[in-house]
Amino acid sequence: VQLVESGGGSVQPGDSLRLSCVGSGFSFDMYGMEWVRQAPGKGPEWVSLINARGSTAHYADNVRGRFTISRDNAKNTLYLQMTGLRPEDTALYYCRTTSWTGGPLPRGQGTQVTVSL
């Protein structure tokens, strides 16, 4: 099982980024997926989730209306479109499944997003 994120970077407030997460080694289209972020010195913060079919999404209050989660099951890829970025969005963003049997939730290594002037 492997999840690989990409798309992070250093941007200014108000800018946009699109993160991607490619899954392999499991049936990607059978699992709900989510994005989680962790800022330096803080614990993990849930950002958004999407169901296996991509028909339902949920967001944390502080990103709703600015971030959009989506997926392309044909490409085994999860996305997070981020607009109106703020300095408080600075964090390591990683993707993971929302459920898993027989062990911890698989997750990627993360991609760094830094928002500053």
Side-chain angles (χ1 to χ4, degrees):
V1 176
Q2 190 173 27
L3 293 165
V4 180
E5 301 93 340
S6 62
S10 295
V11 297
Q12 295 185 340
D15 284 352
S16 300
L17 282 175
R18 188 176 81 155
L19 307 184
S20 299
C21 164
V22 179
S24 61
F26 67 107
S27 297
F28 183 84
D29 60 355
M30 297 289 288
Y31 290 88
M33 297 293 298
E34 59 189 6
W35 287 97
V36 179
R37 67 187 184 185
Q38 187 163 12
K42 296 186 177 180
E45 177 188 17
W46 175 78
V47 175
S48 179
L49 70 82
I50 189 167
N51 68 344
R53 291 187 302 164
S55 58
T56 303
H58 297 280
Y59 299 91
D61 288 343
N62 56 357
V63 306
R64 186 177 296 111
R66 300 188 297 123
F67 291 9
T68 303
I69 192 171
S70 63
R71 65 191 297 162
D72 184 342
N73 285 342
K75 296 181 179 180
N76 284 2
T77 302
L78 174 73
Y79 301 101
L80 185 68
Q81 178 69 49
M82 306 186 294
T83 63
L85 283 163
R86 305 168 179 170
E88 55 264 39
D89 294 318
T90 295
L92 181 72
Y93 287 70
Y94 59 90
C95 62
R96 67 184 186 188
T97 61
T98 58
S99 65
W100 196 256
T101 301
L105 297 176
R107 55 159 287 185
Q109 81 292 344
T111 186
Q112 179 67 38
V113 172
T114 302
V115 185
S116 64
L117 291 171

